[in-house]
Amino acid sequence: MDWSDQANWQDFATRLAAAADLCLKPHRHGVRLLGELPQAAALDGDLCVRIEPRSPEGARLEQADLELELYRSGSDIHLTLMTLADETAPLLWQGSHPVWMDGVSGERCERPEGGLPLEALARRIRALVVGGD
């Protein structure tokens, strides 16, 4: 995906928000870029975004904000999803499979309660990036 192109970024952000809407119902989601878009034609640097949920009535739910980091490792794309409201909460690493890590120690841990929808979202995000759809 060409991250340096603003139209491609906007399309990705729209698709990312729609994936979050689908996986994390009943909330509606917006996506905000943290930092700057990589200038290269492909994802060579990290891309960090905040996924911001709202209630069905439109109220902002800051305690449910997620941070998504996309990065290249070798020839593969990986991502992490973490809850911003609780630095100690487990975070999800998604490469070819999901791995939950303790938010404090970084050691592997069991999937937390409510983790399945985040795994579904991570798979959809990775498909968007890797598949280019």
Side-chain angles (χ1 to χ4, degrees), residues 4 7 10 26 37 42 52 55 62-63 94 112 118 125 130:
S4 62
Q10 290 298 328
L37 287 173
E52 301 178 334
S55 71
E62 290 183 39
Q63 73 280 6
Q94 177 75 43
L118 292 176
I125 294 168
V130 173

Side-chain angles (χ1 to χ4, degrees), residues 79 91-95 97-101 106-109 119:
L79 65 90
L91 63 100
L92 174 61
W93 173 88
Q94 177 75 43
H97 62 279
V99 175
W100 286 95
M101 297 184 294
E107 293 182 15
R108 191 175 188 152
C109 65
E119 288 181 16

Side-chain angles (χ1 to χ4, degrees), residues 13-58:
T14 299
R15 290 175 184 234
L16 174 56
D21 290 350
L22 181 66
C23 296
L24 305 175
K25 292 180 180 179
H27 302 132
R28 301 282 301 170
H29 297 82
V31 173
R32 186 164 48 107
L33 182 63
L34 301 174
E36 300 199 13
L37 287 173
Q39 296 302 309
L43 181 60
D44 291 328
D46 294 354
L47 179 71
C48 294
V49 300
R50 180 173 288 174
I51 302 171
E52 301 178 334
R54 292 187 178 273
S55 71
E57 296 76 30

Side-chain angles (χ1 to χ4, degrees), residues 42-47 69-80 93-96 126 129-130:
L43 181 60
D44 291 328
D46 294 354
L47 179 71
E69 181 179 1
L70 290 161
Y71 59 94
R72 184 174 297 282
S73 178
S75 62
D76 205 6
I77 299 290
H78 299 277
L79 65 90
T80 58
W93 173 88
Q94 177 75 43
S96 58
R126 193 160 184 277
V129 175
V130 173

